[in-house]
Amino acid sequence: MTDAIAKESIQQLFTEARTHHGWLDKPVGDDLLHAIYEMAKWGPTSANCTPARLVFVKSQEAKAKLIPTLMGSNVAQVKAAPVTVIVAFDEKFYDHLPVLFPFMDLKPMYASDKALSEVTAMRNGSLQGAYFILAARALGLDAGPMSGFDNAKLDEAFFKGTSWKSNFICNIGYGDATKLYPRGPRLSFDEVCKIV
């Protein structure tokens, strides 16, 4: 049996964590990006398929490629953030299954069923994106996940000729608390949940 984590950890990961839109001018080192991945990679996925792919957009050249794909206020947020992560998934994740899931030969099942492989990649890649956000928070960073971009344009700019597809983008860094929006409400247990 595992003990519950400390209240302060729960606050940092969930109850006091906020979605940031403004960023302090403080860099995020590549070593920290490695550490986030090394933590997040342990989150569970079906058949250990791990389809998420991450592109850490830091350089001015890479941001110049990303900005034309963005909508509205996302442009300013990405310009200000020290790192914007493209959380993508590999539609051909199954090529790695012989290594990742050696207990059973599942590659043919996914390779022969495009609809199954697409939904599996999207679902599990989304899970991994959430693990990534929690890992960033656990290591002291703030996160600002976003939609509000043109997936086709982004995929053309970053993933042309590959089997990678964008899911969402997420700014990470040290958030500027003076630019936080009022905290949005959440639905209650009874509005969302059933115990059957």
Side-chain angles (χ1 to χ4, degrees):
M1 185 87 163
T2 304
D3 293 330
I5 62 174
K7 177 183 176 183
E8 293 78 14
S9 298
I10 294 170
Q11 290 172 330
Q12 182 170 329
L13 294 174
F14 294 102
T15 59
E16 298 299 322
R18 299 293 305 278
T19 297
H20 280 265
H21 305 278
W23 302 94
L24 300 176
D25 186 14
K26 185 176 176 183
V28 174
D30 291 356
D31 57 336
L32 194 47
L33 302 180
H34 282 265
I36 294 168
Y37 173 73
E38 291 300 328
M39 184 183 298
K41 73 181 183 182
W42 297 110
T45 55
S46 61
N48 199 34
C49 65
T50 62
R53 304 294 181 261
L54 305 171
V55 178
F56 297 99
V57 179
K58 289 182 72 173
S59 70
Q60 291 307 311
E61 296 80 12
K63 285 203 175 195
K65 283 173 57 177
L66 181 59
I67 285 170
T69 73
L70 304 175
M71 299 173 191
S73 64
N74 287 353
V75 171
Q77 293 179 52
V78 165
K79 284 182 177 179
V83 182
T84 302
V85 186
I86 302 170
V87 179
F89 56 88
D90 186 353
E91 289 186 318
K92 293 187 176 179
F93 67 88
Y94 46 76
D95 286 339
H96 297 279
L97 283 178
V99 171
L100 295 172
F101 198 76
F103 323 103
M104 189 181 304
D105 185 12
L106 296 179
K107 180 179 175 179
M109 178 178 75
Y110 289 108
S112 65
D113 189 336
K114 185 171 172 52
L116 175 63
S117 64
E118 284 177 353
V119 73
T120 301
M122 181 66 168
R123 178 183 300 124
N124 289 278
S126 297
L127 279 173
Q128 289 187 278
Y131 304 145
F132 174 84
I133 291 169
L134 292 175
R137 287 175 171 178
L139 293 174
L141 294 175
D142 295 300
M146 299 186 290
S147 295
F149 66 95
D150 186 315
N151 289 79
K153 282 184 182 177
L154 189 151
D155 291 350
E156 177 72 16
F158 286 88
F159 304 134
K160 185 175 182 178
T162 76
S163 55
W164 293 19
K165 301 290 181 193
S166 57
N167 186 349
F168 65 95
I169 59 178
C170 185
N171 291 323
I172 59 171
Y174 301 93
D176 183 348
T178 67
K179 296 182 179 177
L180 283 171
Y181 301 150
R183 181 145 204 174
R186 300 297 193 267
L187 298 175
S188 72
F189 183 95
D190 289 338
E191 291 174 295
V192 174
C193 306
K194 292 183 179 179
I195 300 174
V196 296

